[in-house]
Structures are given as structure tokens and as C-alpha cells.
Amino acid sequence: MGLVAAAETGPLEFARAFGYGIGGAESNVAIGAARLGAPVTWIGRVGSDATGDMIERRLRAEGVRTVVVRDPGFTGLMVKHRRFGSTLSVDYHRAGSAGSRLSPDDLPAGCVETAGVLHVTGITPALSRSAHDAVFHAVERARAAGVPVSVDVNYRRKLWSPDEARPVLRRLVALADAVFAGVEEARLVLGPDGAGTAAELVGPLSELGPAQAVIKDGARGCTARIDGTGYRLAALPVTAVDPVGAGDAFVAGYLAELLAGECAEQRLRTAIAAGAYAVSVPGDCEGLPRRTELAALTGAEDVVR
């Protein structure tokens, strides 16, 4: 999506300065993993407009291989502003957009079958029936080819209701090898069984199918159950400037290390560090770190000469 962000805090109608860039969970993960050295392919549909041009150029500039279908419709848009304090409001303009017309036919032969990991989110199935079918078609192809499937629940209440989302997200999680969710997202997927803390939710979430279940818990870090072993890592202390995209950075860090063959604890440590970088900079993907920056976070100085 295109991303319009108001520069000042206050009612959107009085904002006079705006930034314009790209957003979207899948794009954020693609850029984040590519910056950490993973080979990444992004598959999607964008409009035949300036925003679509910008998205394709930005992804390619980040080293992401793009399989782009150009649609005669418009590219989706996200509008972000702070009404007061640190509270962010995000509005989506996606109904009828190019991305909402994603379909199973948009996935080229062999693109899924040759992947190291297929990553999808719970956002895409909410956009339309054809987008829903495209996600599950990709997942089925991956499973048939023995390609691990990664799912970030990424529930968006402005796109669909909990009752609409729960059965779809639950089915998606059950087909996954790795699942990422926030605490409330885990409760949503688990339904009546979804009470408790992150530590109490991660086991039942894993029991739905994924051998790797990770609950992203913001400033409290993360809780995971990976191949039967439990993990709990604290967040790194940073000044949060913009929380949007932190979860995507976390997933990018985890998947990059998974593809690199790193152990579970290292995957989580990199994920935590990537999330810390992301929240420290305005924008969805601007603050995503590169390998050379990860180690510098815990010992950062005020001035680096």
C-alpha cells in the first residue's frame, strides 16, 4: 500500500504536512528480511499508478525480487495520524483496490515450490474472496512441495469482525509450520480456549499445528514454543517513536535467521533486536536494520565517530 502519514499530532483535518511512502505487513517483512541478507521474493498486485510505481521501485531497491501484477485499479492506501499523545490512528482504503483483486492465477508456476519459506498474513484473506483463495492456494502448494509455511495472524479489526476472522485465521494457523501472533490475536484464534497470559496461550496456539509458535508481546518481549521447548525473551530498552511495523520487523528477523539455519534462541534474539530498531524511527519500514547494525543496538553511544 501507499502510506500517507501526518507529520503533526492532532486532528487529521488540521494537518498541513504529510510524509508519503510505502506500508503493508508483507512489504515490511520482505524489506526487513532482505536487509538481513535473506533472498526474498514478493508477489502481489498493485495499480497502474504512481503509487504502484513507487512500491515496485522501493522493493527492488531493497534487493527484493518482485513478481508484480499491474492492475487497472488503484493501489491501496493507508492513512496514519496521531490524534493525541502516543496513540496512532490508521485508516485503510483498500476496498476495490488492486491488492484486493489478488487471485490464485497471480502466483507463477514454481515460485512457491522453490521457496525456503512461504510467508503469508491474516490481512490478505480479509480483502476479498479472490485474495482469500490466493493465500490458501499458495499455502496448499507449499505444503504439497514440503516448503515450510509461516503465518503472521495480523488481525485488522477495520477489515473484518472477530466472528468473520476467527474460522479463517484458525484454519490458516492450523496449516502453518510457524505462527506469529500478538496476545489479543492469539486469544482471537483460540476462541473460548483463549484466556490467559502469553505464557498460557503459546502452548494451545502451538497445539493447533505449528511447531513454532511465537507470541509478540510488545514492550514485554516475546514468548515462544519451538519444537516443544519454551522460550521467554525480554524486549530491548529503546525509546519508541512509532510502533507501527514493529511486529513485521520481528517476523523479518526471525525468518532471516531461520533461513540462515540459526537456532531458535538466536532467531528470537534477532527478532527482538529488529523490532527495537523499527519502533525507534518514524515509518513502517524505514528503521529496519541491516546485519552490521544489529550488534550496535545494545551498546549504542550518543555520537558515533
Side-chain angles (χ1 to χ4, degrees), residues 32-261:
R35 286 190 183 180
L36 293 174
V40 182
T41 298
W42 180 94
I43 303 170
R45 200 177 260 261
V46 298
S48 299
D49 50 24
T51 303
D53 294 342
M54 176 186 64
I55 291 169
E56 186 171 359
R57 284 196 301 269
R58 283 284 302 276
L59 288 169
R60 289 182 174 174
E62 294 285 355
V64 176
R65 176 175 174 257
T66 59
V67 178
V68 174
V69 177
R70 287 292 184 149
D71 189 279
F74 65 95
T75 303
L77 191 65
M78 176 168 61
V79 179
K80 186 167 66 172
H81 75 286
R82 291 183 188 273
R83 176 62 181 84
F84 59 88
S86 60
T87 302
L88 269 174
S89 295
V90 180
D91 295 326
Y92 298 102
H93 301 272
R94 306 189 75 167
S97 69
S100 74
R101 290 201 280 265
L102 187 73
S103 77
D105 292 339
D106 294 334
L107 279 69
C111 66
V112 172
E113 291 77 5
T114 57
V117 175
L118 170 71
H119 178 68
V120 298
T121 77
I123 299 171
T124 312
L127 300 181
S128 69
R129 185 67 206 187
S130 68
H132 166 283
D133 292 346
V135 169
F136 282 95
H137 176 68
V139 169
E140 289 161 4
R141 281 173 53 177
R143 288 176 62 84
V147 173
V149 174
S150 165
V151 171
D152 193 344
V153 172
N154 261 334
Y155 173 64
R156 298 290 185 264
R157 61 185 175 87
K158 289 187 177 182
L159 297 178
W160 53 353
S161 70
D163 289 340
E164 292 174 309
R166 182 176 293 109
V168 178
L169 296 175
R170 192 177 176 95
R171 179 185 167 207
L172 197 57
V173 169
L175 293 170
D177 297 280
V179 63
F180 304 90
V183 172
E184 292 303 324
E185 291 171 339
R187 290 172 180 160
L188 170 65
V189 170
L190 291 169
D193 300 324
T197 64
E200 294 167 325
L201 293 167
V202 72
L205 192 64
S206 178
E207 288 167 7
L208 291 180
Q212 304 172 61
V214 184
I215 294 185
K216 301 173 288 183
D217 204 6
R220 289 171 291 278
C222 70
T223 301
R225 187 168 182 82
I226 299 173
D227 297 327
T229 301
Y231 297 86
R232 178 78 179 93
L233 272 72
L236 293 173
V238 294
T239 300
V241 174
D242 186 348
V244 177
D248 304 327
F250 182 102
V251 172
Y254 186 96
L255 293 180
E257 298 294 42
L258 179 66
L259 290 167

Side-chain angles (χ1 to χ4, degrees), residues 266-282:
Q266 183 58 43
R267 293 175 226 159
L268 294 170
R269 289 192 182 283
T270 298
I272 288 283
Y277 262 102
V279 301
S280 65
V281 175

